[in-house]
Amino acid sequence: MLDLILCVDDDPITLMLCKMVITRAEFAQQIITAQNGEEALSYFDDLRLNNLGANISNYPKLIFLDLNMPVMGGWEFLDHFSKEEYRSSFEDCKVIVLSSTIDPDDIKKAKTYSMVLDFLSKPISKEMLESLKTILA
């Protein structure tokens, strides 16, 4: 079981469903949410700012990320989160793209980001989480 995960999606119903499925599957102890990529980056920026260069240990080791969101979408989030300033502080944080589209080009593009573990189709399910447990173990 993971200590902390982050779900990034602009749809409150999707976020509620994610939290419910993750809790029932006993996949994570704590689930935090963000409504877009900018909110998610702000969360990580706050962690870095509050730790002032100290080792940051309590942060989400897994992010479920939607691609199509207002303000800042998933691709833009991944572009920013790939930069050294984030990777050096959160190097073992992995991303699962959770999208309603299964465009082969999107799947191919997602694989170009080293932190992306998988590209899954919404909605999240207990079976998905069970298969992720083996990947994350």
Side-chain angles (χ1 to χ4, degrees):
M1 178 184 286
L2 296 172
D3 291 333
L4 178 63
I5 62 170
L6 171 63
C7 296
V8 186
D9 200 300
D10 61 314
D11 180 20
I13 294 169
T14 299
L15 289 175
M16 183 182 70
L17 178 66
C18 279
K19 288 175 96 169
M20 187 176 70
V21 172
I22 290 165
T23 301
R24 284 192 180 156
E26 297 180 353
F27 188 75
Q29 290 180 10
Q30 186 179 2
I31 306 147
I32 56 174
T33 61
Q35 293 184 352
N36 58 60
E38 187 176 272
E39 218 176 270
L41 283 178
S42 290
Y43 170 81
F44 286 104
D45 288 340
D46 288 346
L47 281 176
R48 286 192 342 213
L49 185 65
N50 291 333
N51 286 281
L52 299 172
N55 237 3
I56 306 167
S57 58
N58 189 26
Y59 62 89
K61 300 299 189 284
L62 184 65
I63 300 170
F64 286 104
L65 179 68
D66 185 27
L67 292 178
N68 300 311
M69 297 176 285
V71 183
M72 180 188 285
W75 295 126
E76 199 175 350
F77 170 82
L78 287 169
D79 288 341
H80 285 283
F81 203 62
S82 296
K83 293 180 181 173
E84 179 60 29
E85 63 192 274
Y86 292 102
R87 298 317 303 155
S88 62
S89 299
F90 309 107
E91 64 185 329
D92 58 346
C93 182
K94 299 298 181 189
V95 176
I96 301 290
V97 174
L98 195 59
S99 181
S100 53
T101 67
I102 311 177
D103 182 340
D105 290 336
D106 284 346
I107 296 169
K108 189 184 291 185
K109 183 176 179 179
K111 290 179 180 178
T112 66
Y113 294 92
S114 62
M115 81 279 295
V116 174
L117 282 180
D118 209 344
F119 190 108
L120 301 174
S121 180
K122 287 182 185 179
I124 195 168
S125 69
K126 189 174 180 181
E127 293 75 26
M128 282 180 190
L129 296 176
E130 291 298 326
S131 67
L132 285 174
K133 283 180 183 178
T134 58
I135 294 170
L136 296 167

